[in-house]
Amino acid sequence: MKDVLDDLDAWAARGHRVAIATVVDVQRSAPRPPGAKMAVNDRGEVSGMVSGGCVEGAVVEVAEEVLSGGPPRLLHFGIADSDAWDVGLPCGGEIDVFVERYEP
């Protein structure tokens, strides 16, 4: 979290618009716990992580929509245990991630 806060402060000081994504719920197994954060600025720079793999890319896309004036969004990601190995994950699980514009 500290790394994300340092980047948020630096980006805001430079006048960048920033979106922040927060893991708000986890069911079964997940790489990051509730409260994990990822920030994305209007230059496409990313700090922190909310999960791994394709989830990060999807969150960045939504963050860019939010930075372009879109509303905050609650995202849900999940995969069955039986399908996880096929996509390179050690186990299945579900996470909810809230993406909003960061207002210092």
Side-chain angles (χ1 to χ4, degrees), residues 8-79:
L8 284 173
D9 289 341
W11 293 342
R14 288 187 219 125
H16 292 292
R17 291 175 295 124
V18 181
I20 190 156
T22 305
V23 175
V24 294
D25 190 34
V26 171
Q27 296 177 1
R28 297 190 323 272
S29 178
R32 304 278 294 159
K37 296 194 182 310
M38 182 171 86
V40 179
N41 72 18
D42 54 4
R43 294 181 60 196
E45 296 172 306
V46 177
S47 178
M49 58 187 274
V50 292
S51 181
C54 58
V55 168
E56 302 316 64
V59 171
V60 167
E61 285 182 20
V62 171
E64 290 171 345
E65 291 173 14
V66 168
L67 289 175
S68 295
R73 301 226 343 242
L74 179 62
L75 309 175
H76 179 81
F77 300 95
I79 189 163

